[in-house]
Amino acid sequence: MIRRDEVETLVIAVVADTFSVAPADIGQATTAADVDGWDSLSHTVLMVRLQKRLGISISERIAARAQTVGELVESIRGQIPPDTAP
Amino acid sequence: MRFDQTIVHYLQRHARDTPSAPWLVIASGARVQQFSYADAVDETRRMARMLAARSIGRGDHVFIALTHRHEQYILFLAALWIGAIPTILAPPTPKQDPLLYWRDSGEMIASVGPAIIVSFADNLSALGTVAGATPLVDIDTVAAELDHPLDPADLAEPVEARPDDLPFLQFSSGTTGLRKGVVLDHAAVDAALSVHSQALGLSSRDVIATWLPLYHDMGLVACFLMPTRIGAAIVAIDAFEWVTRPWRLLETIEHFRCTIAWLPNFALQHIVNTLPEDRRFELSSMRAFVSSSEVCRPETFERFATALAPHGLRPDQLATSYGMAETVMAVTQSPPGRAPRVVERDGVRRLSCGPLLDGVGARVSASGEIEIDTRGNTAFSGYFHNPAASDETLSGHWYRTGDLGFIDDGELFVTGRIKDVLVVHGRNYYAHDIEAIVGAVPGIKPGRAVVFAVENPEVGSEDAICVAESTAAHDERGALQRAVKQAVFDRLGLTLRTVAPVEPGWIVKTTSGKMSRAENRTRWLARSAGPIR
């Protein structure tokens, strides 16, 4: 299971890979409209890739509500149990 | 002359001969509603009574703007039952601003003058701002009227039709002035559906799987009218659900043992791009996945066949068709049971759209344009109340499609188009329309935006690219790009892939001031390797 603190890096990596942009160009405030090719169809492709890479299932309802990459990261974090203390 | 071959006459005969045969399954999430042919007539008569109670009858226009629900189908049939002319309009999606969305429809509504518009509550107030005095009806408020028991004499028979009556109006997408209603007649629709059904070997044993909305000609004609005419079954899933879960179509095929599905090219690729790795789908019931409504690409077929081979899919279960609303739907159909041919021309592999349907005449002009003979089964006589658009596309009895292609060994191949239309995800958009919307966004120089399509094999469709002149400072460009994308999406439901602000003077115009989209496209493609400034 992925750790909560890994989510942001992984989401940004998958977004960057899916839309062929540099990870450095993707930030918390990035919206779909900022990224060439991010439409409703490719959003589904992104969700499929994220679920595969993160090994979790992402609720469609929650994913659809996220307006920015930061909100998407938060909503995914919310679906992962808290990290167990060492 | 009495004409008893309208869709509702067929419907009535099926209800009499095979009343319990399945007609329509509407699946939405876990909810499934099923209707037999007897149910279809019963529901249609109730809906027809609702329309007749509002003094709607022969020759009146009925506009339907509903989401995925069975009443869309029933209203369409009910209008035909009483001799009215139905039109299905796409409602705005939840992500579109309904006021902006409907703003462009006022002129079209005024031009047609519908006797009624049926929609749903969330949509009605925005629609009301452009509907003038047209009565608006909320489908959910007429439930009591529909539930009221039918008297055996209540509209027991569909009204008599004439072969040259207008059966329904389909409007192209677009903004003011560019929306064109296709004028056909009952006899032409019947003839076209008859030859297309024969080419497919369609029978009452077929089960059609569809996610296509009814405002799309393929959704309306291939996935609703043609199966209803022949007494086959339709299983319809919600288009929005399909976008987020494309494999729902495969589940539907497996569960209902479906035999035919129509998909634009991009939809095959979308299924490939999102196919779950941990699932197997049983697809042996399928006679044909028919690709139509945008250019059918050989590489997409190959990817689909490869990705679905582990699910038992064979290449001979893939087929192609070419057509448009102006030709009722199809001009060609590749025969099911045989993979369409691939031919190489000028170094590019092209997928066959199959032979011409019986009775359909087509030729390729000297300029390479595909032209269709309207004396055949199509009888397309022009656009509704739009002589200028009709004159532009009809030369004598030849309908100029605006598509380019060639004929090889009796089969039609489509290679491109000369009209200024973008076909994105199976839907057509006029370049002028998009440019006008972009030109009105503050920060863009009016009249200095150009829009064109670039093929995207990863998506299996075209990308819409917009290059627009702007004096916006570098740090304002992100906001400007977002504003342009939002404006186009609100009005047309299209997501531009790229909005590229460029310096004033970048866009090339001819000496007469006309925009050359091809030239600007070439210029953009040459520059896009590096930064555009």
Side-chain angles (χ1 to χ4, degrees), chain A residues 11-12 15 26-35 38 43 46-47 62-76, chain B residues 482:
Chain A
V11 168
I12 287 175
V15 168
I26 305 292
Q28 293 266 348
T30 303
T31 68
D34 298 326
V35 180
W38 193 338
H43 187 76
L46 173 67
M47 288 303 133
I62 289 171
R65 214 183 293 154
Q67 296 290 315
T68 62
V69 168
E71 287 172 21
L72 182 62
V73 168
E74 276 316 302
S75 73
I76 292 171
Chain B
R482 281 195 290 273

Side-chain angles (χ1 to χ4, degrees), chain A residues 18-20 29 31-42 44-45 48-49 52 60 64, chain B residues 95 242-247 266 270 273-274 277 425 458-459 478 482 485 495-499:
Chain A
T18 301
F19 300 107
S20 306
T31 68
D34 298 326
V35 180
D36 281 5
W38 193 338
D39 60 14
S40 56
L41 283 176
S42 57
T44 301
V45 175
V48 167
R49 290 185 179 186
K52 197 170 138 193
E60 271 170 38
Chain B
K95 288 185 175 171
W242 178 80
V243 168
T244 55
R245 271 178 285 167
W247 55 89
F266 88 90
H270 192 45
N273 289 349
T274 54
E277 286 176 348
H425 304 151
E458 277 180 45
V459 177
R482 281 195 290 273
K485 282 190 179 180
T495 303
L496 295 171
R497 178 189 172 85
T498 300
V499 175

Side-chain angles (χ1 to χ4, degrees), chain B residues 31 48 55 92 128 175 188 191 231 243 249 264 293 339 388 408 427 443 452 533:
Chain B
R31 184 162 178 254
S55 306
T175 58
V243 168
L249 186 75
S293 97
D408 179 281
R427 291 192 73 186
F452 46 83
R533 288 294 173 260

Side-chain angles (χ1 to χ4, degrees), chain B residues 228-266:
Chain B
T228 300
R229 180 182 174 279
I230 210 140
I234 305 159
V235 185
I237 60 174
D238 191 337
F240 291 102
E241 203 177 327
W242 178 80
V243 168
T244 55
R245 271 178 285 167
W247 55 89
R248 275 280 282 152
L249 186 75
L250 307 179
E251 280 177 354
T252 302
I253 288 167
E254 177 178 276
H255 186 79
F256 292 96
R257 307 288 298 152
C258 298
T259 59
I260 295 183
W262 270 270
L263 301 165
N265 191 78
F266 88 90

Side-chain angles (χ1 to χ4, degrees), chain B residues 273-454:
Chain B
N273 289 349
T274 54
L275 198 60
E277 286 176 348
D278 54 350
R279 294 276 306 271
R280 281 289 169 270
F281 301 100
E282 168 57 48
L283 305 173
S284 61
S285 59
M286 282 298 281
R287 296 206 296 116
F289 285 91
V290 186
S291 177
S292 188
S293 97
E294 62 185 349
V295 177
C296 308
R297 295 173 166 87
E299 65 276 11
T300 309
F301 260 44
E302 286 153 10
R303 288 188 199 133
F304 189 75
T306 304
L308 288 154
H311 304 264
L313 184 85
R314 302 178 315 270
D316 64 16
Q317 287 171 294
L318 298 177
T320 50
S321 176
Y322 167 74
M324 61 277 305
E326 288 83 348
T327 60
V328 183
M329 189 189 114
V331 171
T332 67
Q333 174 65 56
S334 80
R338 201 190 80 196
R341 267 190 324 133
V342 176
V343 163
E344 194 173 313
R345 264 293 164 103
D346 303 325
V348 183
R349 294 163 70 236
R350 306 285 184 185
L351 193 58
S352 167
C353 293
L356 296 172
L357 292 177
D358 257 358
V360 177
R363 66 182 187 189
V364 175
S365 72
S367 62
E369 185 176 8
I370 299 166
E371 299 183 328
I372 314 293
D373 189 345
T374 60
R375 291 172 308 185
N377 288 317
T378 72
F380 169 58
S381 58
Y383 297 105
F384 193 74
H385 293 180
N386 194 341
S390 306
D391 289 348
E392 209 171 283
T393 52
L394 282 167
S395 48
H397 49 85
W398 289 98
Y399 162 64
R400 303 178 48 208
T401 63
D403 288 324
L404 296 169
F406 62 88
I407 293 175
D408 179 281
D409 203 9
E411 296 182 3
L412 185 71
F413 294 74
V414 180
T415 56
R417 72 187 78 97
I418 48 174
K419 57 192 171 191
D420 278 321
V421 166
L422 291 80
V423 186
V424 182
H425 304 151
R427 291 192 73 186
N428 296 358
Y429 303 91
Y430 295 95
H432 304 83
D433 256 359
I434 309 169
E435 287 160 0
I437 295 168
V438 175
V441 174
I444 301 292
K445 288 194 73 175
R448 305 293 297 183
V450 63
V451 171
F452 46 83
V454 176

